[in-house]
Amino acid sequence: MNKVELAKIKEKALQDHIPIIMDETLETIRKELETFTPNRILEIGTAVGYSAICFSEFLSEGGKIDTIERDEERVKEAKENIKKAKVENKINILQGDAVEILPTLNEKYDMIFIDASKGKYPFFLKESMRMLSPNGIIFADNVLYKGYVLSDYNKHKQRTAVRNLREFLKELNELQESKKYEVKVLEVGDGLAIAKMLN
Ligand code: SAH
Ligand code: MG
């Protein structure tokens, strides 16, 4: 991977106000993967490809990433960025709405990164669990949404997103209680949830 290009891609994305993964979130994921090297990664929410390019470093030999994005312009830019970073052999973009694409996928993934419309997180979780390989790991970004999710915030046009994120956290809690997953919700970045499948 070309690090100089990656730095340029990051800078442009920040200038364009694209909500790319925060440094501390990426570092937390890197640490979680110290003892686990994924071969297949699924990402929901490509934007301009920044996080996917970063994750390509975490793949085992011959590993691949599938990443979903519905915005045509962003798909175009992501493809250019992936080429510039020299990782086009590792990243496959699926263009369209993840709500429609996910049910058509039937692969197993070792790592799944949820980073798209917050109102759909409960659905994304359900689909992710269906496709997670044994001992796989799910990361979900922005789960605390600027603190709204855990406050008594109930107003505003984002209330559907907040309600669905609360539902998502409730489902994670049930997963933790089922003892089939080890679940953590960390206050890094905008809130990072981690659900690791246990055997
Ligand atoms: N993962 C990226 C940032 C993603 S931002 C990074 O860290 O670099 C979230 C992206 O998800 C946006 O580009 C948005 O267009 C896309 N998105 C939101 N809802 C979606 C959906 N239902 N299906 C596909 N893409 C979606
Ligand atoms: Mg995010």
Side-chain angles (χ1 to χ4, degrees):
M1 189 240 284
N2 187 325
K3 291 259 157 104
V4 176
E5 284 301 328
L6 182 67
K8 286 190 205 160
I9 291 162
K10 180 183 183 185
E11 197 183 332
K12 177 164 192 304
L14 290 173
Q15 270 171 10
D16 293 345
H17 302 288
I18 312 266
I20 57 169
I21 191 168
M22 291 172 81
D23 292 342
E24 57 173 343
T25 308
L26 185 63
E27 284 320 305
T28 305
I29 294 176
R30 188 192 305 280
K31 285 209 190 85
E32 282 292 329
L33 296 180
E34 252 163 21
T35 56
F36 176 72
T37 309
N39 185 257
R40 295 284 286 136
I41 297 178
L42 174 65
E43 174 179 72
I44 308 171
T46 317
V48 295
Y50 176 72
S51 54
I53 295 168
C54 293
F55 295 161
S56 69
E57 271 208 316
F58 303 155
L59 291 169
S60 61
E61 191 65 41
K64 283 206 161 50
I65 301 176
D66 285 335
T67 178
I68 308 173
E69 174 59 53
R70 67 178 171 197
D71 183 293
E72 213 172 304
E73 284 300 305
R74 287 191 174 174
V75 169
K76 206 167 140 242
E77 192 172 342
K79 284 186 177 157
E80 290 165 8
N81 286 339
I82 288 163
K83 224 179 202 161
K84 283 184 197 157
K86 302 225 179 323
V87 287
E88 63 267 53
N89 56 333
K90 295 181 178 179
I91 303 174
N92 173 36
I93 302 180
L94 305 170
Q95 188 179 332
D97 192 325
V99 173
E100 284 159 26
I101 291 180
L102 287 169
T104 70
L105 302 179
N106 268 310
E107 310 217 16
K108 289 287 173 191
Y109 295 95
D110 309 306
M111 165 179 159
I112 300 178
F113 183 58
I114 301 174
D115 193 22
S117 32
K118 299 171 188 75
K120 300 283 158 40
Y121 272 36
F123 178 74
F124 293 157
L125 178 64
K126 201 174 88 204
E127 287 294 297
S128 297
M129 286 170 60
R130 178 177 66 80
M131 290 188 279
L132 196 65
S133 51
N135 301 311
I137 188 162
I138 298 171
F139 296 98
D141 194 21
N142 310 95
V143 299
L144 299 180
Y145 197 14
K146 302 174 184 160
Y148 299 158
V149 176
L150 298 183
S151 72
D152 55 8
Y153 180 94
N154 270 316
K155 304 181 280 287
H156 218 263
K157 61 177 166 57
Q158 305 301 348
R159 67 181 178 279
T160 310
V162 171
R163 190 191 333 113
N164 288 330
L165 282 174
R166 285 179 185 149
E167 174 63 28
F168 173 81
L169 291 180
K170 205 180 114 208
E171 283 164 13
L172 282 184
N173 201 37
E174 286 163 11
L175 277 191
Q176 166 78 5
E177 276 163 14
S178 78
K179 306 242 159 51
K180 291 185 184 129
Y181 286 78
E182 181 196 318
V183 177
K184 287 188 270 193
V185 179
L186 306 176
E187 283 184 43
V188 295
D190 196 22
L192 179 71
I194 307 175
K196 203 187 287 183
M197 196 195 281
L198 299 170
N199 305 310

